[in-house]
């Protein structure tokens, strides 16, 4: 799966169904158009991730799917999610402590942070492949 598709899937649980961004994704708009909609709606983490992937060549760049890039992107995404979490929640504490993906994922799932748990689950699956 290419990196742009991974980004879109990891954010899918966080988008309101009636948003312009969700509509753009549903009609298979270009990543640039989806990023523009996300920016307009204040979904800066999604827009930033898409802009970065587009700058690097998106799905056409095989290097984006390498393990080191996935780990780097995962770390970046965790920090984006962390900004929006209350300091006292277990998931935030585990991210701050640099806990293993599995631990953070479990806490995110327990706390109802579905999109984060899904993203981490996918990262776990990628790790298991190697």
């Amino acid at each position: 799966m290419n990196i742009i598709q991974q980004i879109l899937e990891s954010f899918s649980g966080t988008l309101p169904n009636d948003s312009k961004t969700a509509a753009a994704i549903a009609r298979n708009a270009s990543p640039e158009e989806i990023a523009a909609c996300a920016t307009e709606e204040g979904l800066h983490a999604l827009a930033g991730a898409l802009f970065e992937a587009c700058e690097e060549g998106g799905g056409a760049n095989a290097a984006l799917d390498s393990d080191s890039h996935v780990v780097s992107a995962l770390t970046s995404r965790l920090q984006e999610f962390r900004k929006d979490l209350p300091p006292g929640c277990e998931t935030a504490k585990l991210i701050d402590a640099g806990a293993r993906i599995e631990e953070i994922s479990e806490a995110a799932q327990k706390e109802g942070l579905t999109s984060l748990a899904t993203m981490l689950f996918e990262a776990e699956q990628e790790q298991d492949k190697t």
Side-chain angles (χ1 to χ4, degrees), residues 82 85-99 104 107 111:
R82 173 59 186 96
L85 296 174
C89 82
E90 185 64 22
T91 304
K93 290 177 186 177
L94 290 170
I95 292 171
D96 292 346
I104 298 169
E111 293 178 323

Side-chain angles (χ1 to χ4, degrees), residues 3 6-7 49 52 64 66-81 119 123:
I3 192 71
Q6 288 177 339
I7 292 167
E52 182 180 338
L64 286 176
S66 70
D67 286 342
S68 62
H69 191 277
V70 170
V71 169
S72 173
L74 178 63
T75 302
S76 174
R77 293 287 312 285
L78 273 175
Q79 293 310 312
E80 286 296 319
F81 269 101
M119 178 188 75

Side-chain angles (χ1 to χ4, degrees), residues 90-91 94 98-108 120 124:
E90 185 64 22
T91 304
L94 290 170
R100 294 181 348 205
I101 292 172
E102 295 84 1
E103 294 174 284
I104 298 169
S105 178
E106 187 176 314
L120 293 172
E124 287 176 58

